[in-house]
Amino acid sequence: MPSPTPIVTIFGGSGFVGRYVAQRMARAGWRVRVAVRRPEEALFVRPYGVVGQVEPVQANIRDEASTRAAIEGVDVVVNCVGILAESGKQGFEPVIAEGAGRIARIASEVGVSRLVHISAIGADANSKSGYARAKAKGEELVLNGFPNATILRPSVVFGTEDEFFNRFGAMARFSPVLPLVGADTKFQPVYVDDIAAAAAKAALGVAKPGIYELGGPEVATFRELMERLLAVIERKRFLVELPFGLARRQGAFLDWLQKISFGLFSNGILTADQVELLKSDNVVSASAQGFEELGISPTPMDSILEGYLYSYRPHGQYDAITASAANLPKS
């Protein structure tokens, strides 16, 4: 009698990284539970597989019962939940620390065979950043609850739906100036589907458990990344470096506006915590395991960026046509 189709639960499976993991697991023939707080907003994941193969389910990792319900009966769990800024009950501690620990503990209790946890380069229990401290605590709680977990630590992630290049591309449409906080801070941008490939290998049992730091083939400063963005979108903008002290005061003011507005204003611009993160390089450490150990060749930025950033060019998708027309001989 053939064995039943294996099942994976992907927490945050409708998010930026999670949706790519869901697609890879579906292509591998697994049934996929996409565990999200609002499943009615994640119906777009269903076409990732055949009818009934990929289904959104309700789960809030701050809640014991719904988290357990999403995990029971599955073979593998992947946690892709992450937030870059706090908002209301969605705080760093309850979500990326305690929530991660809750998933790991329950996964161990119900007999899940493998657990994959998406963390971040820069996770540090001694950091001044609440995000970095919570990431480190999340990793600790994951390993306490599920010692054989696989932890993936990516650098800044790029791809069609990213919040990095898209944010500054949108800003460059209207502003003559792009402010840089930490212009000389180094990053190692990693393509989102490469992270998904690593997660899928770990979920399928191809990769050994452990901690892997994931960075792309290029290291560049914040300023260099913005120069590359402007070259791709064919716009000239002034790059102005903001001192950390001034940036922190601006971030704190925006955080205060969010707090006193009771959520009517959401600080998606710059938080004081993000300023702290920008003080440290975000690159793979020399001794870390990474893509090489996973047998994955990371994707260079040049092969991906133009494919989704063209929309920020002066004429968007018609930019090439406009440029070609300008070279036609005049009658």
Side-chain angles (χ1 to χ4, degrees):
M1 184 176 179
S3 59
T5 303
I7 307 173
V8 57
T9 290
I10 305 174
F11 287 91
S14 66
F16 178 33
V17 176
R19 67 184 68 187
Y20 286 83
V21 180
Q23 290 175 65
R24 281 188 171 269
M25 295 303 292
R27 289 198 296 268
W30 284 53
R31 287 176 56 197
V32 181
R33 291 181 187 172
V34 173
V36 292
R37 288 188 298 151
R38 301 182 183 89
E40 68 279 2
E41 296 178 6
L43 298 179
F44 64 88
V45 302
R46 285 178 170 172
Y48 292 169
V50 298
V51 175
Q53 184 183 6
V54 182
E55 286 292 332
V57 298
Q58 198 283 325
N60 184 337
I61 64 172
R62 293 185 287 107
D63 174 69
E64 178 84 10
S66 64
T67 302
R68 184 175 294 275
I71 293 175
E72 286 182 335
V74 308
D75 302 274
V76 172
V77 170
V78 181
N79 179 24
C80 298
V81 175
I83 56 173
L84 295 175
E86 296 181 300
S87 179
K89 295 181 180 179
Q90 294 296 98
F92 293 144
E93 281 290 316
V95 175
I96 58 182
E98 295 168 8
R102 179 173 292 108
I103 290 171
R105 173 177 53 79
I106 295 173
S108 179
E109 289 173 355
V110 303
V112 166
S113 59
R114 288 181 293 278
L115 171 67
V116 184
H117 175 66
I118 309 295
S119 183
I121 287 178
D124 181 0
N126 299 315
S127 174
K128 292 183 179 180
S129 161
Y131 171 87
R133 292 196 304 273
K135 280 291 187 182
K137 184 175 180 180
E139 290 185 5
E140 179 185 358
L141 293 174
V142 165
L143 292 176
N144 286 343
F146 205 106
N148 289 326
T150 299
I151 295 176
L152 305 179
R153 294 175 175 170
S155 182
V156 63
V157 186
F158 69 91
T160 304
E161 308 89 352
D162 72 45
E163 295 185 18
F164 185 72
F165 287 111
N166 278 306
R167 173 184 293 189
F168 288 97
M171 190 183 300
R173 275 178 170 167
F174 308 106
S175 174
V177 174
L178 291 184
L180 305 182
V181 180
D184 296 323
T185 300
K186 295 178 181 178
F187 295 88
Q188 198 168 347
V190 56
Y191 181 44
V192 60
D193 196 45
D194 291 341
I195 300 172
K201 283 199 170 192
L204 295 170
V206 177
K208 295 180 180 179
I211 298 175
Y212 298 84
E213 294 191 356
L214 306 181
E218 303 161 83
V219 174
T221 65
F222 193 2
R223 179 181 294 276
E224 290 168 341
L225 291 175
M226 291 301 98
E227 290 172 344
R228 181 170 296 196
L229 164 69
L230 293 174
V232 170
I233 67 175
E234 300 176 359
R235 293 181 185 270
K236 294 182 179 180
R237 296 291 184 264
F238 295 104
L239 300 178
V240 178
E241 183 173 0
L242 293 182
F244 284 116
L246 175 60
R248 181 171 179 79
R249 287 193 292 272
Q250 290 182 345
F253 174 70
L254 293 170
D255 290 342
W256 177 76
L257 282 181
Q258 175 175 291
K259 185 176 181 179
I260 66 169
S261 71
F262 299 100
L264 294 178
F265 166 74
S266 179
N267 183 10
I269 302 172
L270 179 70
T271 69
D273 196 80
Q274 288 166 352
V275 174
E276 290 297 331
L277 285 173
L278 288 167
K279 292 180 180 179
S280 303
D281 291 340
N282 197 266
V283 299
V284 172
S285 56
S287 60
Q289 296 186 104
F291 281 125
E292 184 176 353
E293 287 76 12
L294 292 167
I296 297 171
S297 296
T299 305
M301 286 184 282
D302 284 345
S303 64
I304 301 295
L305 292 183
E306 187 172 352
Y308 68 96
L309 294 179
Y310 69 86
S311 61
Y312 300 110
R313 291 175 176 172
H315 303 285
Q317 63 180 317
Y318 303 108
D319 195 76
I321 298 175
T322 303
S324 177
N327 294 323
L328 292 174
K330 296 180 180 180
S331 56

